[in-house]
Amino acid sequence: MTATASCCSSPVAWARPRAAPASASAAALRVGRCPAVAVAVAAPDVAFHPDVSRAAESLQAEFRAVDRAIALNSSRVAAAFRRARVAPHHFGGSTGYGHDDGGGREALDSVFADIVGAEAAIVRPQFFSGTHAIACALFALLRPGHELLAVAGPPYDTLEEVIGIRGSANVGSLKDFGVAYREVPLAADGGLDWDALACSIRPETGCAFIQRSCGYSWRKSLSVADIHRAIDLIKMQNPNCMVMVDNCYGEFVETSEPAMVGADLIAGSLIKNPGGTIAPCGGYVAGKKHLVEAAAARLSAPGLGVEFGSTPGHVMRSLFQGLFLAPQTVGEAVKGGLLIAEVMSAKGYRVQPLPSVPRHDIVQAVELGSRERLIAFCEVVQQTCPVGSFIKPTAGETPGYASEVIFADGTFIDGSTSELSCDGPLRDPYAVFCQGGTHWTQWALVLSDVLKVI
């Protein structure tokens, strides 16, 4: 039986190829080819673990559904590029204040806003993380005396010090500026508590904060439909309450984005989904035009707005190209998550989300149950990475995180979670959070090795 495939990114039936001729060199000479080519053709097959191959075969329908989403998102992205008349001169970059950038900055902002359905966007390399972009958006929306309401339970660890619920006082947190904080606990099933949300908005609630992805919580990631329903509930209680969505890990997973369903601002990182694995840095804020301008003033300074900030030419080109490639790379990451869930759940591990269910972000969580298994899993991932495979990941304190965290991210872009990576806090239930992968077969290879040690 030979290997078959419906397309280059679909599951395949992996089998050992026919045996090479007894004398590869003689065979090559008979057909007029050099021996080196014959040796390369006859190289040994690298097969997946049988359990991984079976899981990939069982997911063909789910993979095809992902391919359909890739096609729709790719079409939307390509159309936005054409409408903005993107041209080579937009890749020239700039220096100093960034005044003379050939229109690249404006074109990139326009393309991004068009893609996510926003009035405006600011896409900048000066945002050095998703947390930085989200913080700029929150400070744009909130003023002393306001309340920030988290509607999906506790936020991601790195936002705790931004809000002021952890860490030292007088470092410039929202709490230091007189902004109160409250959260709506999740429902028993790990989703939003709709009954509680329906009566949660107070007169002083200046911003309702929705975290789309699970973060380090064992909860469901939110669909755009869930976010739409939440926004409607919030606006019914107070139309003036702003809604901010942490969109990290969610871009291009579905065929619509939160700004299309009423979010006032969304924010995220370019070294996650929208960077297409090649953006070297940066983040974005998108949404209502006057609010984007307020976030830009937080990034730079009041009065400077969106007209400042230089970007080297090689970076500007990468931001455009990464955004263009993002639907495809996100789709492959989604397929990798489906495969992780299928393989690990079959081995008796709890997974979130469950296998074969629709995806709303690229994160796949696996509850490993012990510190030792979490570390072992991350070590295997690191050993399989193309960069730093010889490095042994160790748990330790990381700025912004409440617990010891272990990271496996042998990536070309430091910290890129669009590339194959995983991480997890060293605390009960010792869950590993997997994401990225430029092709689903990367995770198939990792899982083949994971099954030998877990």
Side-chain angles (χ1 to χ4, degrees):
M1 173 176 150
T2 58
T4 61
S6 58
C7 69
C8 63
S9 61
S10 297
V12 295
W14 296 94
R16 190 169 301 281
R18 294 187 183 93
S23 173
S25 296
L29 289 172
R30 283 196 297 271
V31 297
R33 294 177 181 173
C34 68
V37 172
V39 171
V41 170
D45 178 34
V46 180
F48 299 149
H49 189 285
D51 291 347
V52 176
S53 294
R54 283 191 290 271
E57 282 295 318
S58 73
L59 290 168
Q60 288 191 57
E62 287 78 11
F63 278 29
R64 285 194 295 270
V66 173
D67 285 336
R68 287 193 289 272
I70 291 172
L72 291 170
N73 285 329
S74 295
S75 176
R76 188 170 86 250
V77 169
F81 272 69
R82 291 193 296 270
R83 280 191 288 268
R85 298 177 65 86
V86 174
H89 67 269
H90 290 138
F91 309 152
S94 57
T95 60
Y97 295 131
H99 290 152
D100 187 17
D101 74 338
R105 185 174 53 222
E106 182 180 356
L108 182 59
D109 290 349
S110 174
V111 169
F112 198 96
D114 191 355
I115 290 169
V116 300
E119 290 180 6
I122 176 171
V123 185
R124 295 291 183 275
Q126 287 82 10
F127 286 122
F128 54 77
S129 69
T131 298
H132 185 198
I134 294 163
C136 288
L138 290 174
F139 276 97
L141 295 171
L142 292 160
R143 297 293 180 267
H146 281 171
E147 174 190 70
L148 172 64
L149 176 70
V151 305
Y156 189 62
D157 287 30
T158 59
L159 287 174
E160 292 178 353
E161 291 179 86
V162 173
I163 296 167
I165 55 179
R166 177 171 58 86
S168 303
N170 299 318
V171 295
S173 68
L174 289 169
K175 182 179 179 181
D176 290 339
F177 282 91
V179 176
Y181 173 76
R182 183 166 53 96
E183 62 189 47
V184 179
L186 294 167
D189 66 354
L192 295 182
D193 187 332
W194 298 108
D195 292 336
L197 180 58
C199 57
S200 63
I201 304 300
R202 298 172 179 171
E204 66 271 20
T205 307
C207 174
F209 178 73
I210 302 175
Q211 182 173 292
R212 182 173 178 177
S213 188
C214 60
Y216 279 161
S217 299
W218 192 266
R219 73 160 177 88
K220 296 177 181 178
S221 296
L222 302 179
S223 67
V224 174
D226 285 337
I227 292 170
H228 190 183
R229 181 182 175 187
I231 292 170
D232 286 347
L233 280 174
I234 292 162
K235 296 291 187 178
M236 281 194 303
Q237 296 171 73
N238 181 2
N240 295 319
C241 179
M242 297 292 100
V243 177
M244 159 70 197
V245 176
D246 170 1
N247 209 29
C248 288
Y249 302 105
E251 301 92 346
F252 299 115
V253 174
E254 300 185 56
T255 55
S256 58
E257 298 293 337
M260 299 176 181
V261 296
D264 295 291
L265 279 183
I266 64 175
S269 168
L270 297 184
I271 61 170
K272 296 184 174 66
N273 300 22
T277 77
I278 64 172
C281 55
Y284 71 90
V285 176
K288 301 293 176 57
K289 186 174 187 294
H290 70 287
L291 297 176
V292 170
E293 290 173 347
R298 178 70 186 190
L299 174 64
S300 55
L304 299 184
V306 299
E307 304 301 328
F308 277 71
S310 62
T311 305
H314 69 281
V315 172
M316 184 62 80
R317 182 198 57 76
S318 295
L319 300 186
F320 274 103
Q321 189 173 11
L323 180 59
F324 181 77
L325 295 173
Q328 179 68 49
T329 58
V330 169
E332 292 302 327
V334 171
K335 292 176 186 177
L338 286 162
L339 187 64
I340 296 165
E342 186 73 23
V343 170
M344 297 305 289
S345 63
K347 293 300 180 182
Y349 291 95
R350 288 182 65 208
V351 298
Q352 179 72 264
L354 294 170
S356 303
V357 304
R359 302 284 150 147
H360 309 304
D361 67 0
I362 65 167
V363 178
Q364 178 62 54
V366 181
E367 185 179 296
L368 296 171
S370 76
R371 179 186 180 96
E372 292 73 25
R373 278 195 290 270
L374 175 54
I375 292 173
F377 190 105
C378 292
E379 287 178 348
V380 171
V381 171
Q382 185 70 40
Q383 291 164 8
T384 315
C385 285
V387 180
S389 60
F390 56 90
I391 297 171
K392 183 175 182 178
T394 57
E397 294 184 3
T398 302
Y401 292 86
S403 306
E404 280 188 300
V405 183
I406 186 168
F407 297 90
D409 54 359
T411 52
F412 291 94
I413 305 298
D414 183 25
S416 170
T417 49
S418 289
E419 302 177 62
L420 187 141
S421 64
C422 72
D423 49 81
L426 273 293
R427 64 188 184 219
D428 193 61
Y430 295 99
V432 65
F433 296 84
C434 307
Q435 56 271 318
T438 55
H439 195 274
W440 68 267
T441 52
Q442 277 193 287
W443 276 111
L445 293 168
V446 170
L447 290 166
S448 296
D449 287 339
V450 163
L451 294 178
K452 300 173 184 176
V453 300
I454 297 293

